[in-house]
Amino acid sequence: MGCSVVPGATGRDIWLSSVKAWTGYHALRAARARAAGREDAAEAQYAEVIACDTRAEFDSALAGATSLVDALARELRVIAELPGADALQPPAPPLNAPGVVCAPRSLELEPYLRVLRWFLDDGETYGASASPTSSMPSVPFPRSSAERRTSWRRPSTRPR
């Protein structure tokens, strides 16, 4: 059970309350400057500056928070794949081996696919894989059982 300043409040609730208070404060500043701007052009201009700056700062804070939450969720999903970890949320659909794999045939892709699925964005596909430690020539080979039965030959480099 997490610890929070407000009993029953989540981090999201606290962040949203802080943002609401912050934007409310800047809205009051802008309203005060607008009211004073009826008689002073500089104050009216200051109200516009406050509104623009507040929006820019809010957008930046929201983008930063969104990025942080996405990165945290990704890391937690990876941790959930580690041995002995409980599932933190329903798992993403499993990845199938791609059509092109440049790695030793003995390499088991399943452990890598379990973690890699958390790094793909929605709609992103996984089309190829390579092993950085492979001592094999750089010729891709298919991983399906039907394609494994056929022999792959390196394309001829001799002129015809």
Side-chain angles (χ1 to χ4, degrees):
M1 174 147 278
C3 177
S4 64
V5 176
V6 180
T10 64
R12 182 196 68 210
D13 296 333
I14 294 169
W15 185 81
L16 289 174
S17 293
S18 297
V19 169
K20 185 178 177 183
W22 182 81
T23 54
Y25 167 74
H26 288 287
L28 290 173
R29 283 180 58 210
R32 182 172 181 251
R34 273 193 200 96
R38 291 186 194 122
E39 298 172 10
D40 183 357
E43 284 293 321
Q45 188 176 16
Y46 181 60
E48 292 304 315
V49 169
I50 292 171
C52 289
D53 288 353
T54 300
R55 181 63 188 196
E57 288 181 43
F58 174 79
D59 289 344
S60 175
L62 183 60
T66 300
S67 176
L68 182 63
V69 168
D70 289 346
L72 178 62
R74 178 180 291 138
E75 291 301 317
L76 290 174
R77 290 174 184 153
V78 169
I79 290 169
E81 294 295 337
L82 298 175
D86 295 328
L88 300 176
Q89 75 175 50
L95 286 177
N96 294 321
V100 177
V101 177
C102 294
R105 292 186 188 272
S106 61
L107 178 69
E108 289 297 324
L109 289 178
E110 197 275 332
Y112 300 101
L113 296 174
R114 286 180 53 213
V115 172
L116 180 61
R117 67 184 171 170
W118 299 112
F119 287 90
L120 298 179
D121 291 327
D122 291 339
E124 191 174 7
T125 59
Y126 177 49
S129 184
S131 170
T133 59
S134 174
S135 61
M136 300 176 51
S138 297
V139 177
F141 57 92
R143 298 289 289 208
S144 72
S145 58
E147 290 175 296
R148 283 186 199 151
R149 284 187 233 120
T150 63
S151 63
W152 273 73
R153 293 189 180 96
R154 186 177 204 116
S156 174
T157 55
R158 291 182 289 156
R160 292 187 179 182

